[in-house]
Amino acid sequence: MQGANFSDFLRRMKMSGNFLFLTRTKRKDYVLRKNNGDYADDNDEKFFNYIKKSSGIKGTENPFALLIKSEGKFFVMSGGIQTGLKDYSGTRVRLTFVMNADEDDAGKIFMHIVNGWEEIEKIMRSCLDVKAFDEDKIIFDFYKFTEALKDYDNKISPLPSGSNLKWEKSSNKIIPVKSPKKKKVKKYIFAAVLIFIFSAMIIFANYPRDTVNNNNYETSTDYESVRWNIYDILWNMKNELEAVSNEYNDAFNKIKEITRAGGNITRSDLEDLNLLMPERDRAKEKLNKISADITYIMSLSEDLGVSSNDPEKVTSIDEKIKKIKAEK
């Protein structure tokens, strides 16, 4: 599940109700429920936990909100909402919910939570049946609650596909959600840099660039000419890596600057994010591709090192290298 992304998972998984929420009664522990208070099913549990975990939310004690769009569907999640009630031990009871919303309402709901937290808590408390709570039952007027959430003069447009936002009350900042898949890609980016550095140390140290005989290594299939081919590709990849890294860092820094606005993010800001996030993601994909290419070329370099006395093997490696060059 960790390697999946929002789109893949949410396409397969559906909520059994329009509204899921996690809370407890006076004596019974926290349980996931749906709509007015019926128990949720296993798929609901997976759905609820995956969105929370993939968004970097480790617990539901502290106030937060998420706005997610996937496959044309919008979801809003919020947690750490104080119900104003206490359990048998005197501990305050919280509520966390996730709901789907249409395109016109998703931004309203998210920003209503961000800018009106105390109001949201009051509305939620008015929808929870206190008498049922004392009797270890849950009755929640989810329709009243969700309609009240939509009643807000939104200052931002709905979120573009592939871009998800998170807000935490402790920092009052709105930031892009970083899913596990994206973190994994970032590791690949650094792996590409490290692989290139080590390859450069091995190859560049023995062959000064300005002594290359281009005509010779393009036509010959002997051992030394193939090494020159590897050298030449890695040199070009170094330049490509630097250029794409600059693209990524430029988009990343602009996104970071916009999201520093926190709850004050505007429609114009979100329109800029709509352009910058795909730009950043495209750069990540390029870096990931470069990393994979470098890894493959280094494997060919290792094969060449143990096959220097095997003309057929050297020729085979040379053909693979030339194929890579032709694709660049």
Side-chain angles (χ1 to χ4, degrees), residues 201-240:
M201 289 172 63
I202 295 169
I203 298 174
F204 292 8
N206 297 321
Y207 297 94
R209 174 79 177 168
D210 58 4
T211 64
V212 178
N213 184 336
N214 289 303
N215 292 328
N216 181 55
Y217 80 75
E218 287 291 347
T219 58
S220 174
T221 57
D222 63 29
Y223 174 74
E224 294 301 330
S225 69
V226 179
R227 285 178 63 88
W228 275 119
N229 255 334
I230 293 174
Y231 169 96
D232 192 64
I233 290 176
L234 287 173
W235 180 271
N236 291 334
M237 282 188 171
K238 169 185 174 295
N239 296 330
E240 186 180 3

Side-chain angles (χ1 to χ4, degrees), residues 22-24 30 60-62 79-85 91-96 124:
L22 181 72
T23 193
R24 65 165 298 153
Y30 283 88
T60 57
E61 295 83 7
N62 299 316
I81 309 172
Q82 295 291 346
T83 63
L85 303 172
T91 302
R92 293 179 179 179
V93 175
R94 299 175 302 277
L95 183 143
T96 299
M124 184 272 292

Side-chain angles (χ1 to χ4, degrees), residues 67 74-76 99-112 146-147 149-152 154 156-159:
L67 176 55
F74 289 84
F75 300 90
V76 179
M99 61 178 288
N100 55 27
D102 62 30
E103 188 169 356
D104 293 331
D105 291 329
K108 288 182 182 180
I109 295 169
F110 180 74
M111 293 308 296
H112 196 175
T146 55
E147 288 302 303
L149 286 174
K150 299 172 189 177
D151 186 16
Y152 184 74
N154 184 29
I156 66 170
S157 58
L159 200 62

Side-chain angles (χ1 to χ4, degrees), residues 160-176:
S161 179
S163 304
N164 307 298
L165 297 180
K166 174 172 65 174
W167 168 82
E168 292 178 294
K169 192 172 185 292
S170 57
S171 65
N172 195 34
K173 290 182 179 180
I174 297 176
I175 61 174

Side-chain angles (χ1 to χ4, degrees), residues 3-249:
N5 59 33
F6 285 117
S7 296
D8 292 339
F9 183 81
L10 298 182
R11 182 171 56 247
R12 298 193 305 268
M13 194 65 62
K14 295 181 179 179
M15 295 167 57
S16 63
N18 296 321
F19 186 86
L20 300 176
F21 64 103
L22 181 72
T23 193
R24 65 165 298 153
T25 67
K26 200 172 191 70
R27 295 174 182 81
K28 295 179 181 177
D29 204 356
Y30 283 88
V31 175
L32 187 66
R33 300 172 182 271
K34 64 182 180 180
N35 298 339
N36 289 318
D38 295 334
Y39 290 114
D41 61 26
D42 290 341
N43 283 341
D44 291 329
E45 290 273 1
K46 292 177 182 177
F47 180 92
F48 183 92
N49 290 329
Y50 180 73
I51 290 182
K52 177 170 64 70
K53 188 174 182 180
S54 296
S55 302
I57 301 298
K58 297 180 180 179
T60 57
E61 295 83 7
N62 299 316
F64 72 89
L66 301 172
L67 176 55
I68 296 168
K69 181 183 179 183
S70 177
E71 300 296 318
K73 296 180 180 179
F74 289 84
F75 300 90
V76 179
M77 187 179 206
S78 183
I81 309 172
Q82 295 291 346
T83 63
L85 303 172
K86 295 182 179 180
D87 66 11
Y88 68 95
S89 66
T91 302
R92 293 179 179 179
V93 175
R94 299 175 302 277
L95 183 143
T96 299
F97 74 87
V98 61
M99 61 178 288
N100 55 27
D102 62 30
E103 188 169 356
D104 293 331
D105 291 329
K108 288 182 182 180
I109 295 169
F110 180 74
M111 293 308 296
H112 196 175
I113 295 169
V114 171
N115 293 325
W117 184 261
E118 287 74 18
E119 178 190 354
I120 297 302
E121 285 192 326
K122 290 179 182 178
I123 295 171
M124 184 272 292
R125 293 173 185 180
S126 71
C127 298
L128 189 61
D129 190 318
V130 177
K131 183 177 180 181
F133 172 85
D134 290 334
E135 296 174 353
D136 286 327
K137 300 175 184 177
I138 293 293
I139 299 176
F140 188 74
D141 191 343
F142 83 99
Y143 181 79
K144 175 184 173 182
F145 183 60
T146 55
E147 288 302 303
L149 286 174
K150 299 172 189 177
D151 186 16
Y152 184 74
D153 183 15
N154 184 29
K155 295 180 181 179
I156 66 170
S157 58
L159 200 62
S161 179
S163 304
N164 307 298
L165 297 180
K166 174 172 65 174
W167 168 82
E168 292 178 294
K169 192 172 185 292
S170 57
S171 65
N172 195 34
K173 290 182 179 180
I174 297 176
I175 61 174
V177 168
K178 296 181 180 180
S179 70
K181 184 177 182 180
K182 291 179 180 178
K183 291 178 182 178
K184 190 175 182 181
V185 169
K186 191 172 182 179
K187 290 180 181 178
Y188 287 154
I189 294 170
F190 289 111
V193 176
L194 291 175
I195 290 171
F196 179 79
I197 290 173
F198 284 122
S199 67
M201 289 172 63
I202 295 169
I203 298 174
F204 292 8
N206 297 321
Y207 297 94
R209 174 79 177 168
D210 58 4
T211 64
V212 178
N213 184 336
N214 289 303
N215 292 328
N216 181 55
Y217 80 75
E218 287 291 347
T219 58
S220 174
T221 57
D222 63 29
Y223 174 74
E224 294 301 330
S225 69
V226 179
R227 285 178 63 88
W228 275 119
N229 255 334
I230 293 174
Y231 169 96
D232 192 64
I233 290 176
L234 287 173
W235 180 271
N236 291 334
M237 282 188 171
K238 169 185 174 295
N239 296 330
E240 186 180 3
L241 186 68
E242 290 174 348
V244 178
S245 294
N246 288 336
E247 290 178 20
Y248 172 80
N249 289 330

Side-chain angles (χ1 to χ4, degrees), residues 253-262 265 269 272-273 276:
N253 290 331
K254 288 179 180 177
I255 291 170
K256 185 177 180 181
E257 186 65 29
I258 291 173
T259 54
R260 281 176 179 169
I265 194 168
D269 290 333
D272 288 340
L273 289 175
L276 289 168

